[in-house]
Amino acid sequence: MAASRRRGHRGRSTALAAVAATTALTAALLTGCDAVNKALDCVQTADSIADSVTDLQQAVENAANDPTQADASLDSIQSNLRKIGDKTDDADVNKAVDDLDKAVDNVRTAIRNGDSTPDVTPVTDAAGELTKVCTP
């Protein structure tokens, strides 16, 4: 009888250990998926920013024809930057977002101060850095 009780206890212990292991594995997988989803969001948004930077370059080249185009491109970049900033707590990504935001502000200020062909190189450089840090 005592041996039977010990086996029953051992069976419950094994079952509890299996449940605990399954729970830990599920939590690890869900956490891993969350990290992957955040990385994908970052990459997709960085890709959108790259498109906006290309639009900005073209807008600056054609500023004489339509000066509002550059502002629209800058707005698009900053909107996408907010999306990345809201979804990450990664220090490198946040630094890249801040650097790009600052570069965008500088171009916007130059345009407001009458520069019809501002240097967008800092924007393209910062966008490239963001793309690098977003790539897993």
Side-chain angles (χ1 to χ4, degrees), residues 2-36:
S4 174
R5 278 190 209 150
R6 275 189 230 127
R7 268 194 299 247
H9 180 67
R10 190 178 311 146
R12 279 185 292 222
S13 294
T14 303
L16 287 174
V19 168
T22 302
T23 302
L25 179 61
T26 301
L29 289 174
L30 290 175
T31 301
C33 288
D34 190 39
V36 169

Side-chain angles (χ1 to χ4, degrees), residues 115-128:
D115 187 350
S116 59
T117 56
D119 181 14
V120 296
T121 304
V123 173
T124 57
D125 291 348

Side-chain angles (χ1 to χ4, degrees), residues 8-135:
H9 180 67
R10 190 178 311 146
R12 279 185 292 222
S13 294
T14 303
L16 287 174
V19 168
T22 302
T23 302
L25 179 61
T26 301
L29 289 174
L30 290 175
T31 301
C33 288
D34 190 39
V36 169
N37 286 337
K38 282 184 179 182
L40 285 174
D41 286 343
C42 187
V43 169
Q44 290 167 344
T45 306
D47 189 45
S48 295
I49 288 172
D51 291 342
S52 297
V53 169
T54 301
D55 293 345
L56 174 62
Q57 290 170 318
Q58 291 172 350
V60 167
E61 289 173 12
N62 299 320
N65 298 333
D66 187 1
T68 63
Q69 198 87 33
D71 247 356
S73 296
L74 293 169
D75 289 345
S76 176
I77 293 168
Q78 286 185 312
S79 172
N80 283 315
L81 286 175
R82 280 189 293 278
K83 289 178 190 174
I84 293 176
D86 291 345
K87 292 182 180 180
T88 188
D89 55 0
D90 183 280
D92 292 334
V93 172
N94 282 327
K95 182 181 178 335
V97 166
D98 291 344
D99 290 348
L100 183 50
D101 193 46
K102 183 177 179 182
V104 166
D105 282 342
N106 290 340
V107 169
R108 191 182 301 277
T109 299
I111 291 170
R112 285 185 183 144
N113 290 337
D115 187 350
S116 59
T117 56
D119 181 14
V120 296
T121 304
V123 173
T124 57
D125 291 348
E129 185 60 30
L130 178 62
T131 300
K132 274 197 284 187
V133 297
C134 280
T135 305

